[in-house]
Amino acid sequence: MIERINEIRHFKEMIKSWTKKELRTRYKGSFLGFLWTFVNPLLQLIVYSLIFPFIMKVTQENYAMFLFVALIPWNFFTTALQGGCGLMVYNSSMVTKVYFPREVLPISYTLSGIMNMIFSYMIVFPMLILFRIPFTWNMLWLPVLILTEGILCLGVILLVSSVNVYFRDLEYLISVGLMALYFMTPIMYDMSGIPESLQKVLIFNPITGFIIMFRDIMYYGKGLNFELYGFTLCYSTFLCIIGYVVFIKLQRRFTEIL
């Protein structure tokens, strides 16, 4: 394991290069290009601000921000699942012809997702001022949560990208599964508003803990829930280890199958 990590470190320039490539190609060919990284979340927020208070008559104060601060970590997770799934298949020409640690691709994709998430929060902070949501020192926990979610997403990408090489239908199953998972995640609602018995079930949704903690520090101004964070960190690390073990086992036949 240590030898493998040292080998990956020798390819750090490749990781940087692929991370930049993922960020550049996300909106390749569009007129605004990389600016969509900022414009897209801003447009989302404008739509939410118009639809929920005026059309759907949601009475909760600043519901657009209530929703928006939860959608950013959700988007990071769904992008990791959907985009990471085809990572080996879509880069098969490189995987089969060039030698490099295959972990480089999942790591780069995860880092690009983290960077995109950080750029999205550059829109959030001015909007907090606009919606008159006070800044608190608890927001300093934001980088910790982003990095922890990065661990979860890396594990997910390692797992699905390797399994998809053998079972190509996985991409379609994930798309359907995410639609169901969206309603099982406290994005449009607060966990406190549902029965306690259901809360105990939904907490095992891998993204639920993150949604709660991001909303607590960004919207409610609360401190970090250390019990929930400890639980979230443990299962994120566990899923990352499982994903890596599966990846290492399956990647031996990538060249043969692809």
Side-chain angles (χ1 to χ4, degrees):
M1 178 66 74
I2 295 176
E3 291 180 2
R4 189 69 177 179
I5 292 173
N6 287 332
E7 184 181 12
I8 293 171
R9 287 176 58 191
H10 289 314
F11 285 82
K12 61 183 180 182
E13 291 302 321
M14 185 178 182
I15 292 174
K16 291 179 183 178
S17 173
W18 267 87
T19 302
K20 292 177 182 178
K21 175 180 175 292
E22 287 292 339
L23 289 170
R24 285 197 304 267
T25 58
R26 192 177 294 262
Y27 302 109
K28 186 178 180 181
S30 64
F31 178 72
L32 292 177
F34 189 69
L35 285 176
W36 275 112
T37 305
F38 304 97
V39 175
N40 191 43
L42 181 59
L43 292 177
Q44 282 184 315
L45 184 56
I46 293 172
V47 171
Y48 301 147
S49 300
L50 294 174
I51 289 178
F52 290 100
F54 301 109
I55 299 177
M56 299 186 69
K57 304 298 182 182
V58 176
T59 57
Q60 178 168 326
E61 186 180 5
N62 295 325
Y63 184 75
M65 288 303 297
F66 173 88
L67 185 63
F68 191 57
V69 296
L71 278 170
I72 293 178
W74 168 257
N75 288 340
F76 180 22
F77 178 72
T78 56
T79 301
L81 259 176
Q82 292 179 307
C85 189
L87 207 53
M88 298 299 155
V89 175
Y90 299 150
N91 294 286
S92 58
S93 58
M94 186 173 181
V95 172
T96 55
K97 295 177 182 178
V98 181
Y99 175 76
F100 61 94
R102 305 306 181 222
E103 297 92 324
V104 165
L105 296 182
I107 291 171
S108 300
Y109 197 80
T110 303
L111 290 175
S112 70
I114 289 174
M115 293 303 299
N116 198 63
M117 193 178 188
I118 291 171
F119 295 144
S120 296
Y121 274 109
M122 292 175 68
I123 300 297
V124 171
F125 286 109
M127 292 303 104
L128 290 174
I129 297 173
L130 182 63
F131 282 87
R132 297 180 180 178
I133 297 175
F135 286 79
T136 70
W137 289 105
N138 294 318
M139 291 182 184
L140 293 176
W141 289 109
L142 185 62
V144 175
L145 292 181
I146 292 175
L147 291 175
T148 307
E149 188 176 358
I151 295 172
L152 172 68
C153 290
L154 176 59
V156 166
I157 294 170
L158 286 166
L159 180 62
V160 298
S161 65
S162 56
V163 173
N164 190 57
V165 173
Y166 295 79
F167 183 61
R168 303 292 173 88
D169 290 342
L170 183 61
E171 289 185 67
Y172 306 104
L173 292 175
I174 285 176
S175 296
V176 175
L178 283 174
M179 285 192 291
L181 191 64
Y182 179 82
F183 295 101
M184 297 170 61
T185 305
I187 296 173
M188 296 188 295
Y189 55 88
D190 197 298
M191 282 282 279
S192 61
I194 62 176
E196 189 174 340
S197 57
L198 188 56
Q199 290 183 33
K200 293 178 180 179
V201 175
L202 295 184
I203 200 66
F204 288 98
N205 172 347
I207 194 64
T208 291
F210 288 104
I211 298 298
I212 293 172
M213 289 186 290
F214 273 105
R215 181 174 280 149
D216 278 350
I217 66 171
M218 297 299 296
Y219 181 80
Y220 291 116
K222 296 179 181 178
L224 187 67
N225 184 328
F226 289 102
E227 182 179 355
L228 180 58
Y229 177 74
F231 174 70
T232 305
L233 177 62
C234 286
Y235 74 64
S236 296
T237 304
F238 176 73
L239 286 175
C240 190
I241 293 171
I242 293 297
Y244 190 53
V245 170
V246 172
F247 185 88
I248 288 295
K249 185 175 181 179
L250 297 183
Q251 61 108 22
R252 298 167 186 166
R253 296 186 60 206
F254 280 179
T255 302
E256 177 186 342
I257 295 174
L258 292 172

